[in-house]
Amino acid sequence: MQADGEFDLIARYFKRPSPDRMLGVGDDCALMSLSTGCELAVSTDMLVEGRHFLPDADPAALGHKALAVNLSDLAAMGARPLACTLALSLPAVDHAWLAAFSEGFHALSRESHCPLVGGDTTRGMSGIVLSVTVLGEVRRSHALRRDAARVGDDVWISGTLGGADLALRLVLGQLPPDPERLRATRPLLDRPTPRLKLGRYLAGVAHAAIDVSDGLLQDLGHVLQASHCGAELWMDALPAHPALAGLDESLRRDALLAGGDAYELCFTARPLRREQIQALGRQLNVPVARVGTLVRGQGVRVLDGDGQAVPLVRRGFDHFSEPCGGIA
Ligand code: ADP
Ligand code: MG
C-alpha cells in the first residue's frame, strides 16, 4: 500500500499506547517479557471474505470475532493473553469500515487485556483477508494439550452448544425464518465470548482441552486421535442452548454434535476433579456439564438415554469440502 495511506491508516486505526514493559506498534518488532516459569503460547487464525464472513458482515462484529476466535485458542490451551498482531489485506480503503472494525477489535482487546502490538497492512486483490496472531503465556507443563487426555477421564463442556449453529442456519436461509430464535442466538454467532478465565483456571486441573469451533464430534475427535483413546458421550447430558427447544430432533442432534462456531471448551479431567470443576464453574459463573467418559479404542460413540447408539450424520465443518461457513 502507498506510504501516504498505509502509515496514516495504521496510526489512525490500529496504533494504541502500549502497556508498561511492552514495545508495541511502530518499531520493526514488538517486545514483551514472559513471567517466570511460563511458556509462550502462539496461535494464528485467518478470516477470509466469502469463506468465513459475507461481504456485508457488520465490521464491528467482525473485528470482535477476528480476535475472539484466536483468544478462544489461548483459552483452550489454558493460556493467559499477552498480546496480539493483526495482518490485514484490503482491496480498497473504506474509512467507515476501518473505524467500525478497529473499534470492535480494540474493545475486545481491552476487555481481554490483549493489546494489539503489531501487524501488517496491505492492499489486496479482491476481498478482505484478516489474519490475527495471539501470544499468551501458560505455566510450564500446565498447558491443556490435545495429547494429554487419558482413558477414564470425564469429558466436560462449558456453556451451551448449538446456538451459533442455529443462528447460522437461520441467516443462510437453511431454515424457515424464525425471528425469535434468531434474536436469541445471533449474538453467539456474531460476538462469541472466548472462555479465557475458565481455560486459565483449568490449566493444571484438567488434562486436555479444545475449543468447539468446528463441531463437538470433530473437535473432540482431534483430542482422541492425539491421545490415542475413544469416547462415549451421553446425548441427554449435552448442554443445549435454550433456543433449540422444540426443534426437530435430528436438527437438534445435529446442532449439538456437529454445530460449529460455539467457542465453548471441551475438556477432559480425572473423576477426582469433579467437585473442583463444579466449584470452578460456580465461581466463574460458567455452566460446566459432564457429558461423557474416555474409553479404550478410538472414535466417539454417542449414547441415548437407553444406552443405544445414536446415528450420526454430519461430523462437523471442513473448510476444504464445504461452502461458505460462518458469516461473522
Ligand atoms: P515493516 O516495514 O517493519 O514491516 P510496517 O511499515 O509494515 O513495518 O508497519 C509499521 C508498524 O506498524 C509496525 O510496528 C507494524 O507492526 C505495525 N502495523 C502495521 N499494520 C498493522 C495493523 N494492521 N495493526 C497493528 N499494527 C500494524
Ligand atoms: Mg510490514
Side-chain angles (χ1 to χ4, degrees), residues 23 31 91 101 132 235 292 324 328:
L23 183 63
L31 296 173
F101 173 83
V132 176
M235 194 68 219
C324 187

Side-chain angles (χ1 to χ4, degrees), residues 6-7 10 28 119-121:
E6 177 185 348
F7 298 107
I10 295 168
D28 299 311
D120 203 20
T121 308

Side-chain angles (χ1 to χ4, degrees), residues 230-264:
E232 258 177 36
L233 293 183
W234 312 310
M235 194 68 219
D236 296 348
L238 294 178
H241 188 279
L244 267 57
L247 282 184
D248 169 73
E249 186 50 35
S250 72
L251 197 68
R252 201 179 104 85
R253 190 186 299 160
D254 201 55
L256 287 172
L257 294 172
D261 269 326
Y263 301 106
E264 293 296 349

Side-chain angles (χ1 to χ4, degrees), residues 67-82 108-114 134-137 144 158 192-203 211 263-265 280 284 286:
L67 180 55
V69 300
N70 279 275
L71 290 172
S72 179
D73 284 322
L74 286 184
M77 211 63 186
R80 179 178 81 88
L82 282 175
L108 181 60
S109 152
R110 278 192 300 273
E111 187 189 317
S112 53
H113 305 284
C114 187
V134 282
L135 307 156
E137 64 177 16
L144 302 169
S158 68
T193 305
R195 295 292 191 190
L196 282 166
K197 265 210 179 134
L198 179 64
R200 273 174 69 187
Y201 280 78
L202 286 173
D211 61 324
Y263 301 106
E264 293 296 349
L265 297 184
L280 192 58
L284 300 178
V286 176

Side-chain angles (χ1 to χ4, degrees), residues 45-65:
D45 257 314
M46 291 178 78
L47 292 180
V48 176
E49 183 178 317
R51 164 123 324 251
H52 304 99
F53 63 95
L54 298 175
D56 62 354
D58 170 10
L62 188 60
H64 173 103
K65 190 161 178 175

